[in-house]
Each structure stands twice: as C-alpha cells, then as structure tokens.
Amino acid sequence: MPKVVTKLIARNEVAEGTMAFALDRPTTFDFRAGQYMVVVLPDPPHTDAEGNRRVFSIASPPQDTTRLLLATRMTGTALKRSLAEVPLGTPVDLSGPGGDFVLHADASRPAVFIAGGIGITPFRSMLQDAVSRHLPHRITLIYSNRTPEGAAFHEEFARLAQTHANLTYVPTMTQADKARQPWGGERRHLNADFLRSHIAEIAASIFYLAGPPGLVAAVTKAVSEAGVDPAHVRSEEFAGY
Ligand SMILES: Cc1cc2nc3c(=O)[nH]c(=O)nc-3n(C[C@H](O)[C@H](O)[C@H](O)COP(=O)(O)OP(=O)(O)OC[C@H]3O[C@@H](n4cnc5c(N)ncnc54)[C@H](O)[C@@H]3O)c2cc1C
C-alpha cells in the first residue's frame, strides 16, 4: 500500500460521541467508494498500548477531490483524543486505499446496505457516489442506532431519500425511549422479520453489512434466516470495537 503524508484540515461532531475528521486529499490518492484507508498520527500528544495507527473507511465520495473524510466513535483511546486535540494542519501519514467492499456492477440486482452505528461510513461514500454518477441501482439503506442523536449523517440520508426515488432509507432506533427527540419510526433490532418487512426483493438483492463485529455477526444470521444466499452477502467488520 503506497504511503503519503497529508494533514488534518477539519473536524466536527457529526453525532453524539462521534466525530468526523477531514484529511487533505493527495492528488495521487485514488479510491473506490466503500474502500478504507490506513491512518497514522506520528508523534501524538497522547499514547497508549493500542498505538497510533487505525484503519478507517473513507466516508466521503471519490468525487470530493479536496478531502478524505473519516468518522469515528470517540471511545477515549489515546489516538482518538489526540486527533481531537492536535492543531489543524498537523501531518498525518496515509496509506491505501484497501478493500473490495464496493457496489456490484449489475444494476438489475438491488443493493441492501445494512449499517450498525459507525458502520455507516462506507455507505455514505457509496450512496453519494451512486447519486453523483446517476447509477441506476435500487438501494435500500437500513441504519441501526440506539437513538437519533447518536446516528451520524441521519438527516442527510433522510433528505437524500426524499429526492432520489432509487433510494429507500430505513433507520431504526433501538433505544428510542432514551432519546431526547421524539421518534416515530422503526425501533426493532435487525432480525429476519425486520428484513422481510422492509425488503421487497430479498432473493435478487446483494447485501452489504458493516459495523462492529457483534453487529455484523447478528445481521449475518438474520439475512441467512431471511433466506438470503450467502453468496449475495458482503461484509466489513470494524475490528477494534
Ligand atoms: C476495514 C475497516 C474499516 C473501519 N472503518 C472504521 C470507520 O469508518 N470508523 C471507525 O470508527 N472505525 C473503523 N474501523 C475500526 C477502527 O480501525 C478502530 O479499530 C476502531 O475505531 C476502534 O478504535 P479505538 O481506538 O476506539 O479502540 P481500541 O480498543 O484501541 O481498538 C483499536 C486497536 O485495536 C486493534 N485491534 C483490535 N482488534 C483487532 C482485530 N480483530 N483486528 C485488527 N486490529 C484489531 C486496532 O488495530 C487498534 O490498534 C474499521 C476497521 C476496519 C478493519
């Protein structure tokens, strides 16, 4: 994987306990929507046994030529505290891209994206890419969080679905009773019944699952119980959560 030096150019909170960090995009860094990058913060102000290197899916689309966005849950580890504190302009080592978690070419097959929490990052890139390129794929995004406040990019997906007939957005908030804002949508956990009630063409669809390993394992079981052919399932586990 080629390595380049870039820098941190922006950061902001995108949900409760979740921050996005923008890196200056080197002109030589090409990637496909859904791929990841490897980020090293040299000489961080905080250190711990987990080190200063992490893998992050690229949350911005390839059409954004100026920056590479990553989004992460602020778990309190030294690297994440360092990223939140260092001055903008701080150098960051970047390698990549990596991975083949990318949208299938055959548009006659619908795509079902299923994200748990921060597993949304590759899908944000893939959705914006699909919109930019006017791809004909029918896409359903199922996004599970505890509360709306903790769901990064939730409003953005709701808006996108309103204006793009090919996109269906199904957020579920499994602890909506603990939310500050009212929630009138889905609250169920992702199981086979949930999938059957929201996906019209289960047999024809290609499924993409992303999130913490426990979530990916649970959804893999659910899609299997819903009758999905394992050959139609692709997953990205965010090891480390
Ligand atoms: C393909 C891919 C894409 C990812 N995309 C994102 C993303 O978009 N946003 C995000 O927040 N996180 C993402 N992650 C997870 C991310 O790399 C971190 O592990 C996670 O954010 C937890 O980091 P931490 O500092 O909070 O926790 P920590 O507990 O400190 O865990 C992170 C440390 O443990 C290591 N680690 C632990 N278990 C494993 C394992 N099974 N395999 C390899 N290394 C392990 C990590 O390399 C790292 O050093 C992704 C992981 C992968 C593999």
Side-chain angles (χ1 to χ4, degrees):
M1 245 184 222
K3 188 182 112 179
V4 280
V5 180
T6 182
K7 62 186 177 189
L8 181 67
I9 54 171
R11 70 187 148 217
N12 67 306
E13 189 176 63
V14 286
E16 243 171 39
T18 305
M19 286 190 73
F21 298 88
L23 307 179
D24 193 23
R25 181 172 172 185
T27 49
T28 52
F29 192 94
D30 286 326
F31 71 99
R32 296 180 66 194
Q35 288 192 296
Y36 62 79
M37 57 187 169
V38 183
V39 169
V40 175
L41 183 64
D43 201 19
H46 305 287
T47 55
D48 64 14
E50 305 297 344
N52 60 347
R53 174 188 182 277
R54 294 290 187 282
V55 176
F56 293 110
S57 298
I58 302 167
S60 48
Q63 290 79 10
D64 185 344
T65 55
T66 60
R67 61 185 199 150
L68 297 165
L69 196 74
L70 68 90
T72 191
R73 296 288 199 215
M74 299 307 285
T75 51
T77 56
L79 176 78
K80 293 183 177 178
R81 282 187 286 130
S82 298
L83 280 172
E85 286 174 25
V86 293
L88 298 182
T90 294
V92 173
D93 293 342
L94 172 71
S95 21
D100 52 9
F101 194 70
V102 296
L103 186 65
H104 56 276
D106 178 2
S108 70
R109 287 190 174 279
V112 180
F113 295 164
I114 306 180
I118 197 62
I120 196 64
T121 49
F123 299 133
R124 180 174 186 267
S125 179
M126 292 159 86
L127 283 173
Q128 292 198 1
D129 177 57
V131 167
S132 286
R133 292 200 283 144
H134 304 289
L135 295 182
H137 298 66
R138 281 154 296 145
I139 300 176
T140 300
L141 171 63
I142 296 173
Y143 186 19
S144 178
N145 282 274
R146 294 193 175 104
T147 62
E149 295 87 357
F153 311 116
H154 164 60
E155 285 86 6
E156 181 183 310
F157 299 130
R159 279 195 304 273
L160 210 58
Q162 274 170 7
T163 48
H164 293 82
N166 280 357
L167 173 62
T168 305
Y169 180 42
V170 186
T172 181
M173 304 297 165
T174 58
Q175 294 183 10
D177 51 317
K178 296 192 180 131
R180 282 190 306 280
Q181 45 184 281
W183 181 252
E186 268 287 4
R187 294 168 177 240
R188 288 182 288 166
H189 285 270
L190 304 175
N191 56 26
D193 281 343
F194 185 104
L195 299 176
R196 285 192 205 100
S197 57
H198 288 288
I199 304 163
E201 299 169 86
I202 287 193
S205 300
I206 306 291
F207 287 74
Y208 298 78
L209 324 180
L215 180 286
V216 171
V219 180
T220 302
K221 185 165 170 276
V223 295
S224 167
E225 286 170 5
V228 177
D229 180 345
H232 293 168
V233 183
R234 300 167 188 185
S235 55
E236 190 83 299
E237 285 188 14
F238 285 13
Y241 276 109

